[in-house]
Amino acid sequence: MDYLPIFLNLKGKTCAVVGGGEVAARKISLLLKAYSQVKVIAPQIESVLEKLKEEGKVDHVKDRFVGKYLTGCSLVIAATNDQAVNKSVHDSALKLNIPVNVVDDPSLCTFIMPSIVDRSPLIAAVSTGGASPVLARLVRARMESLIPASYGKLAKLISTFRSKVKDTIKIPRQRRLFWEKVLQGHIAELVFCGREKDARVAIQEELDSLALGNGAKKGEVYLVGGGPGDPDLLTFRALRLLQQADVVVHDRLVSPRIVDMARRDAKRIYVGKERDKHALPQEDINNLLVRLAKEGNKVVRLKGGDPFIFGRGGEELETLVSESIPFQVVPGITAASGCAAYAGIPLTHRDFAQSCVFITGHLKDGTTNLDWDALVQPRQTIVFYMGLAGLDRLCAELMKHGMSETMPAALVQQGTTHFQRVYVGDLKSLPDIVAKENVKAPTLVIVGEVVQLRNKLDWFDPGLASDASWGVDSKMGGGLEKTLPS
Ligand code: SAH
């Protein structure tokens, strides 16, 4: 190790920054975050620094650097573009035994500044020892995406329980297990979704049950949106929960590549019957979730897209509520957003559409009970979910209710995956185009002027569907569409 990483307490300590430019300003803002007193030494300073000075946040020594200005300082940073000045700052600091950093010149540094992920009080610092600051920044960016934004809040909450936990759980190993459970389980998730009060209560309950010796495992259900297909469109939270789950309950709309992201030894339960493409009756799924949670499992109910958009998520939750099972809902990118983006069709556009309607084309018992007049509105995009089997009728009804037969319309098949296909036409031609192709579910129908923008905005190349790493997506199917009358 060329450098020893340490964290300095600079609260109330005077730190000197030599230089008054943009780089100096960046360093100063960091030092201020650490609550230090900042002294800027420079003949001229940038307007941002002038402002800080006016606000009383920094002192300004309006002069060229001389060593005496470092007296009483705990740390110094040289951020000038004058090598001689930087060298002189280094030499003076050394004489006074003050840690010194000269920006972009490791040979003149007694300490170096890392890239930081700040979730105070949790702080992660990354350094390449000056070898490649860009690499350090890239690693930092990865960490940013891995460390939930609310870890700071979590750390603060935990700190208020530390001594209580120490008093209650005397054996260090058991204490560690307790904290691991809190930090990785539903209590942490409560903090992440802003329910700190509930998290407090839950920690206390956990402690009480330990004290009473009944540490029974409590189950919970996470209703998680898995997005439209491309695993990169998962949210951080969805991925984290998948990797913690004991059981993942999924159906046909979720790409197998996403199910694969679950913890290796998690049990996977498929609740769509592959052969006849009918889903397990909703009631059975609801009861299954209740049973799994009651057995003490952390259950991820993984749904395609967003659980609250044509996902029957609400129904599943109602059963959980009636059985007092704790749950959370994690939104996902719905098919309309995902498919539109990957097909190059903006759902709204100032020139073409001011509103956008998501509607199901799944017509119960073959009846068309949609409010067609409300749908046929100028400057409105209509997105039909589950609209493939009824496509002829959808198009015919729209025309019958006054929409022009030349209204652009598109069908997106298996959007966002390597199986994505987009068929474009208009209300009159789309059914014929689709009839000629071997269209596979799931598909989404987009109707509106915005469809013509695809000519300009198409960017996604699904590549070869035979690519082995994407091949599994061919199992994706929107069985519901097949049940519709055509
Ligand atoms: N909750 C889901 C929708 C479930 S309804 C969501 O928010 O996306 C099922 C319908 O969604 C399918 O019949 C199809 O119309 C649409 N759909 C879901 N994923 C799709 C995809 N990758 N490509 C095209 N359509 C999709």
Side-chain angles (χ1 to χ4, degrees):
M1 231 178 4
D2 291 331
Y3 294 87
L4 178 73
I6 54 169
F7 289 85
L8 276 182
N9 181 351
L10 290 174
K11 265 188 204 118
K13 302 269 167 56
T14 303
C15 297
V17 175
V18 184
E22 219 178 283
V23 181
R26 276 206 299 274
K27 302 294 172 191
I28 287 167
S29 91
L30 263 182
L31 290 170
L32 289 176
K33 272 192 188 167
Y35 305 104
S36 63
Q37 298 281 336
V38 177
K39 176 163 58 167
V40 199
I41 304 157
Q44 304 292 335
I45 55 175
E46 290 266 319
S47 54
V48 266
L49 292 179
E50 278 294 354
K51 199 156 165 263
L52 288 177
K53 181 179 159 185
E54 277 161 29
E55 290 166 0
K57 292 189 178 145
V58 302
D59 293 326
H60 181 198
V61 179
K62 195 172 166 58
D63 196 0
R64 288 187 64 79
F65 173 78
V66 278
K68 67 173 182 190
Y69 292 134
L70 295 187
T71 311
C73 290
S74 300
L75 181 138
V76 56
I77 297 175
T80 80
N81 48 15
D82 182 326
Q83 257 185 331
V85 174
N86 287 348
K87 175 84 171 73
S88 137
V89 174
H90 166 263
D91 294 348
S92 309
L94 237 50
K95 256 186 232 148
L96 293 164
N97 264 329
I98 300 172
V100 56
N101 176 281
V102 174
V103 176
D104 282 340
D105 193 346
S107 69
L108 293 181
C109 293
T110 62
F111 73 94
I112 53 175
M113 306 277 278
S115 284
I116 298 168
V117 180
D118 185 4
R119 306 274 194 278
S120 286
L122 175 88
I123 298 168
V126 185
S127 162
T128 56
S132 170
V134 175
L135 181 61
R137 242 173 277 144
L138 291 178
V139 174
R140 192 203 77 176
R142 286 196 169 197
M143 290 168 67
E144 287 279 6
S145 63
L146 289 174
I147 303 175
S150 307
Y151 257 20
K153 271 200 258 166
L154 182 61
K156 270 188 204 135
L157 177 76
I158 298 295
S159 70
T160 62
F161 275 93
R162 276 194 69 188
S163 56
K164 213 180 214 175
V165 171
K166 217 169 174 180
D167 291 343
T168 315
I169 312 174
K170 305 278 186 219
I171 303 166
R173 186 175 164 273
Q174 280 183 357
R175 225 165 31 231
R176 180 175 56 79
L177 290 176
F178 173 84
W179 281 128
E180 277 179 7
K181 190 172 170 201
V182 168
L183 289 167
Q184 297 178 76
H186 80 285
I187 295 177
E189 292 301 330
L190 284 172
V191 175
F192 299 156
C193 69
R195 290 164 58 187
E196 277 161 81
K197 257 198 209 147
D198 293 340
R200 262 179 194 286
V201 174
I203 297 183
Q204 191 57 56
E205 278 175 4
E206 197 78 33
L207 271 179
D208 293 346
S209 75
L210 274 178
L212 292 170
N214 65 6
K217 221 176 141 198
K218 222 173 158 191
E220 59 222 323
V221 176
Y222 297 103
L223 187 57
V224 175
D230 182 349
D232 276 1
L233 297 180
L234 275 181
T235 60
F236 292 142
R237 183 174 291 178
L239 181 61
R240 199 171 59 240
L241 291 172
L242 268 176
Q243 291 177 348
Q244 289 172 17
D246 300 311
V247 187
V248 177
V249 179
H250 62 100
D251 50 42
R252 67 198 174 283
L253 264 186
V254 179
S255 151
R257 299 205 311 145
I258 290 175
V259 181
D260 276 352
M261 291 173 138
R263 206 161 55 93
R264 196 176 300 204
D265 46 356
K267 192 169 167 193
R268 290 140 166 91
I269 302 179
Y270 177 71
V271 288
K273 289 181 200 154
E274 193 92 51
R275 213 179 313 122
D276 62 8
K277 299 271 189 203
H278 281 284
L280 203 71
Q282 189 62 50
E283 213 182 304
D284 291 2
I285 299 177
N286 301 351
N287 293 336
L288 174 71
L289 296 177
V290 169
R291 178 170 64 74
L292 291 169
K294 282 193 171 165
E295 286 168 6
N297 291 299
K298 189 180 282 192
V299 184
V300 163
R301 169 67 175 118
L302 188 58
K303 302 220 148 223
D306 182 278
F308 277 2
I309 295 187
F310 307 123
R312 306 188 76 171
E315 294 165 49
E316 292 177 14
L317 292 186
E318 279 169 40
T319 318
L320 298 174
V321 171
S322 68
E323 298 281 343
S324 307
I325 292 177
F327 68 87
Q328 274 186 38
V329 185
V330 181
I333 292 183
T334 189
S337 305
C339 296
Y342 279 51
I345 301 172
L347 293 177
T348 65
H349 187 285
R350 284 201 298 182
D351 294 336
F352 302 108
Q354 284 175 307
S355 64
C356 174
V357 182
F358 295 174
I359 192 151
T360 170
H362 188 181
L363 316 175
K364 231 178 178 180
D365 307 330
T367 57
T368 48
N369 54 358
L370 299 178
D371 182 352
W372 296 106
D373 289 327
L375 289 179
V376 182
Q377 293 294 327
R379 299 166 65 78
Q380 174 161 278
T381 307
I382 314 170
V383 181
F384 288 100
Y385 285 67
M386 297 172 267
L388 176 62
L391 184 65
D392 293 4
R393 281 249 296 284
L394 294 179
C395 293
E397 291 287 350
L398 289 173
M399 289 188 283
K400 201 167 111 193
H401 287 80
M403 194 175 269
S404 158
E405 61 179 33
T406 59
M407 177 62 83
L411 182 136
V412 185
Q413 163 193 310
Q414 290 167 301
T416 79
T417 75
H418 275 208
F419 288 86
Q420 175 171 301
R421 295 286 174 270
V422 183
Y423 305 99
V424 181
D426 53 32
L427 276 191
K428 190 155 179 268
S429 64
L430 193 65
D432 287 340
I433 297 173
V434 168
K436 281 192 206 108
E437 307 288 339
N438 177 22
V439 179
K440 294 216 177 75
T443 63
L444 201 75
V445 182
I446 305 177
V447 179
E449 301 283 0
V450 288
V451 170
Q452 59 194 286
L453 289 162
R454 175 173 157 80
N455 288 335
K456 269 197 263 173
L457 305 180
D458 180 26
W459 59 273
F460 176 61
D461 178 3
L464 291 175
S466 58
D467 175 343
S469 66
W470 283 86
V472 284
D473 275 331
S474 63
K475 288 195 204 134
M476 262 175 93
L480 272 179
E481 294 174 355
K482 299 277 159 58
T483 67
L484 297 180
S486 49

